[in-house]
């Protein structure tokens, strides 16, 4: 019915509960601080800024992001393919408003985006729509929380950035391990792409819901 159709949100997703948002933001800030302090990062600084001599303020480069969340389905108020089917999916209806724990297994940064990789549980995968972008990689491997974007970057860039990294790793590219710290293993994949695999995954409580904007 038209009433139901007009009720479709901009997107569905897991919304990180308030206290965890703060933790996640400080983890991100610390990650950037660590990165800029590294010789290996400074050596490749032109990945980020062509005219950078040797310094870049990553906190300036990346703008703060509002409400932290992991998008499951971008519906665009019903205009996106499969939006209605997704909203009517039984698992989606049953999980709506439910709280679960998101497992954040890595942080990644590219010249465009700063994000956290989310490793979905079997149950959470029930809420993950089949999507063409994930062709050739496992379902849910583009699940992420956008922590920040650089100026002028499309708000949908984090998924493609993460997928590029997932594909590189799948092709057997190991990258260059730059630092092995208490936090985890920091690896450089070229073209300004850095991944910090967290030794201890960060668990963030999140509520499955939708956003209208
Ligand atoms: P994100 O999930 O990578 O952060 C509102 O714009 C939210 O929907 C953002 O969180 C954004 O990216 C996501 N989004 C925007 N456009 C999208 C698209 N075309 N496909 C998938 N997700 C999109």
């Amino acid at each position: 019915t038209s009433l139901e159709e007009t009720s479709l949100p901009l997107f569905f997703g897991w919304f990180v509960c308030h206290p965890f948002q703060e933790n996640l933001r400080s983890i991100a800030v610390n990650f950037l601080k660590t990165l800029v302090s590294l010789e290996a990062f400074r050596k490749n600084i032109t990945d980020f800024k062509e005219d950078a001599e040797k310094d870049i303020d990553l906190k300036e480069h990346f703008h703060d992001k509002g409400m932290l969340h992991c998008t499951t389905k971008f519906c665009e108020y019903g205009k996106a393919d499969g939006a209605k089917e997704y909203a009517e999916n039984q698992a989606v209806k049953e999980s709506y408003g439910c709280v679960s724990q998101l497992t954040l297994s890595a942080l990644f940064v590219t010249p465009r985006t700063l994000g956290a990789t989310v490793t979905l549980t079997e149950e959470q995968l029930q809420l993950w729509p089949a999507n063409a972008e994930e062709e050739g990689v496992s379902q849910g491997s583009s699940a992420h929380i956008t922590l920040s974007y650089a100026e002028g970057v499309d708000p949908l860039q984090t998924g493609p950035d993460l997928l590029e990294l997932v594909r590189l790793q799948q092709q057997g590219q190991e990258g260059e391990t730059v630092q092995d710290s208490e936090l985890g293993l920091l690896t450089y994949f070229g073209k300004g792409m850095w991944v910090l695999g967290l030794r201890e995954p960060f668990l963030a409580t999140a509520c499955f819901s939708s956003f209208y904007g």
Side-chain angles (χ1 to χ4, degrees):
T1 67
S2 63
L3 190 65
E4 273 166 356
E5 273 160 26
T6 54
S7 75
L8 289 168
L10 180 62
F11 65 91
F12 282 89
W14 290 283
F15 295 80
V16 177
C17 295
H18 185 71
F20 295 91
Q21 299 223 13
E22 283 315 305
N23 294 348
L24 198 45
R25 283 205 178 87
S26 63
I27 288 172
V29 167
N30 285 330
F31 175 47
L32 294 184
K33 266 194 204 148
T34 305
L35 211 52
V36 288
S37 73
L38 296 173
E39 187 53 36
F41 180 80
R42 291 162 161 268
K43 217 172 66 195
N44 294 295
I45 210 151
T46 49
D47 290 348
F48 279 77
K49 209 170 149 211
E50 268 180 26
D51 60 355
E53 293 272 290
K54 60 182 188 328
D55 268 326
I56 181 170
D57 187 342
L58 284 183
K59 256 195 118 212
E60 276 280 303
H61 182 79
F62 288 113
H63 295 259
D64 209 21
K65 179 80 182 353
M67 163 198 60
L68 300 179
H69 66 276
C70 173
T71 305
T72 53
K73 175 70 185 170
F74 184 67
C75 292
E76 215 182 353
Y77 309 111
K79 277 186 266 169
D81 274 352
K84 186 160 174 277
E85 292 73 11
Y86 182 83
E88 285 171 356
N89 180 295
Q90 197 59 29
V92 169
K93 285 189 188 172
E94 279 172 12
S95 302
Y96 199 82
C98 292
V99 168
S100 68
Q101 257 185 349
L102 292 179
T103 303
L104 278 48
S105 46
L107 299 177
F108 59 92
V109 66
T110 77
R112 301 162 297 276
T113 62
L114 170 63
T117 306
V118 179
T119 304
L120 301 174
T121 62
E122 280 301 316
E123 208 178 345
Q124 288 166 342
L125 273 171
Q126 305 301 309
L127 302 171
W128 194 256
N131 74 58
E133 290 83 50
E134 287 187 334
E135 210 183 301
V137 296
S138 53
Q139 274 286 301
S141 53
S142 65
H144 66 272
I145 293 174
T146 299
L147 299 169
S148 190
Y149 313 108
E151 179 102 22
V153 168
D154 272 349
L156 55 76
Q157 188 58 46
T158 322
D161 278 3
L162 175 55
L163 276 173
E164 186 175 357
L165 281 163
V166 170
R167 291 210 164 90
L168 286 175
Q169 282 163 293
Q170 188 162 299
Q171 287 158 14
Q173 293 214 29
E174 285 166 9
E176 173 196 338
T177 301
V178 166
Q179 197 189 46
D180 187 354
S181 72
E182 263 170 55
L183 267 179
L185 220 54
L186 178 69
T187 306
Y188 178 54
F189 285 92
K191 292 193 291 175
M193 300 187 291
W194 298 81
V195 178
L196 173 66
L198 297 174
R199 206 172 294 286
E200 291 281 334
F202 178 71
L203 300 176
T205 306
C207 180
F208 182 67
S209 185
S210 58
F211 180 77
Y212 287 83

